[in-house]
Amino acid sequence: MQITRQHIQGFAVGIAAVVAIPVLAFAARTATPLVSNLFPNSQLYVNLPAPVLSLPTAPGSGSITAGGTLYFEVTALDGQGETIGGNQLGTTTIGSSALQLTWGAVQGATGYRVYFSTSTPQAFLQYFAATSTSGAPNAYYTFTSTTTPTYVSGLPASNTAYSFNANQSTGAGWFMGKFGLGTSSPAVALDVASGTLRAYSVSTTTCNAVIDGAIFYNATDKHLYVCEATIWQIIK
């Protein structure tokens, strides 16, 4: 038999001791394809990658019960959808402790969910949302088991979070992160380092809360307008 294609999937199990907390590292889940198909009337996208958890540490006192085993996976959000879970970590806890969970920040992520399970096989039916600092989502979470989690039916089965998404059927598209024109190091969401940015005249005169802050050029009176709540105001 001639083999024409071979798929190799790695699996690793690591055991480490971190401040007297035995930690089990499980293989990361298989990532979804980076780019979708290019057929007409389809969706072209690039998924956000799933976060990769680091081995947890015990930062101080908490309320985790001694001797219990906890399993964790983290997902990333893009404001529209959610990634699948990343690598899975399991740890046997110590009494009156807390766990500091950290992961690599995902470019374009607007938030993270920390799923956990106390059962074997793992049933990830609850999660905590990571907090943000100055509008930026934190890539860490201190698990103390003192707050009430959000209950769900389980981890996402597919990746619905995108760093880039162009949907031909709806005409909608977006890019998460910073985009540079004339620069490979954009400092803001849209960074035009060279050239001219042009605003074309539009036919609509609708101004509402959905497009508050939008700008358009009126070719008739030669003015730029900005939408302020419900009224187009001339930019002078």
Side-chain angles (χ1 to χ4, degrees), residues 43 46 68 80 84 117 120 122 124 127 142-143 178 190 207 215 218-219 227 229:
Q43 185 181 23
V46 178
Q80 303 290 330
I84 58 174
S117 174
T120 303
Q122 293 80 354
F124 292 97
Y127 71 83
T142 301
F143 188 87
K178 299 173 183 176
L190 177 59
C207 174
I215 297 173
N218 189 319
C227 174

Side-chain angles (χ1 to χ4, degrees), residues 31-191:
T32 53
L34 285 180
V35 181
S36 68
N37 63 66
L38 301 177
F39 293 107
N41 300 318
S42 65
Q43 185 181 23
L44 173 65
Y45 60 84
V46 178
N47 284 121
L48 284 183
V52 177
L53 264 171
S54 300
L55 298 180
T57 60
S61 62
S63 58
I64 296 177
T65 303
T69 301
L70 296 172
Y71 303 92
F72 297 97
E73 287 193 32
V74 178
T75 64
L77 309 173
D78 70 345
Q80 303 290 330
E82 184 177 5
T83 69
I84 58 174
N87 61 319
Q88 183 185 125
L89 291 181
T91 178
T92 300
T93 62
I94 59 178
S96 300
S97 65
L99 282 177
Q100 179 74 67
L101 302 171
T102 60
W103 54 88
V106 175
Q107 179 67 36
T110 59
Y112 302 97
R113 289 177 177 174
V114 180
Y115 288 81
F116 67 98
S117 174
T118 59
S119 63
T120 303
Q122 293 80 354
F124 292 97
L125 304 179
Q126 47 197 333
Y127 71 83
F128 290 110
T131 56
S132 299
T133 301
S134 300
N138 296 324
Y140 62 85
Y141 186 82
T142 301
F143 188 87
T144 62
S145 75
T146 57
T147 55
T148 303
T150 298
Y151 292 91
V152 290
S153 59
L155 279 164
S158 60
N159 194 332
T160 58
Y162 311 102
S163 60
F164 170 80
N165 187 355
N167 195 322
Q168 289 180 303
S169 61
T170 63
W174 63 87
F175 176 84
M176 303 301 294
K178 299 173 183 176
F179 187 80
L181 293 173
T183 174
S184 59
S185 302
V188 293
L190 177 59
D191 196 337

Side-chain angles (χ1 to χ4, degrees), residues 196-214:
T196 302
L197 182 63
R198 182 177 181 185
Y200 279 81
S201 179
V202 295
S203 58
T204 180
T205 56
T206 300
C207 174
N208 52 41
V210 175
I211 63 170
D212 188 29

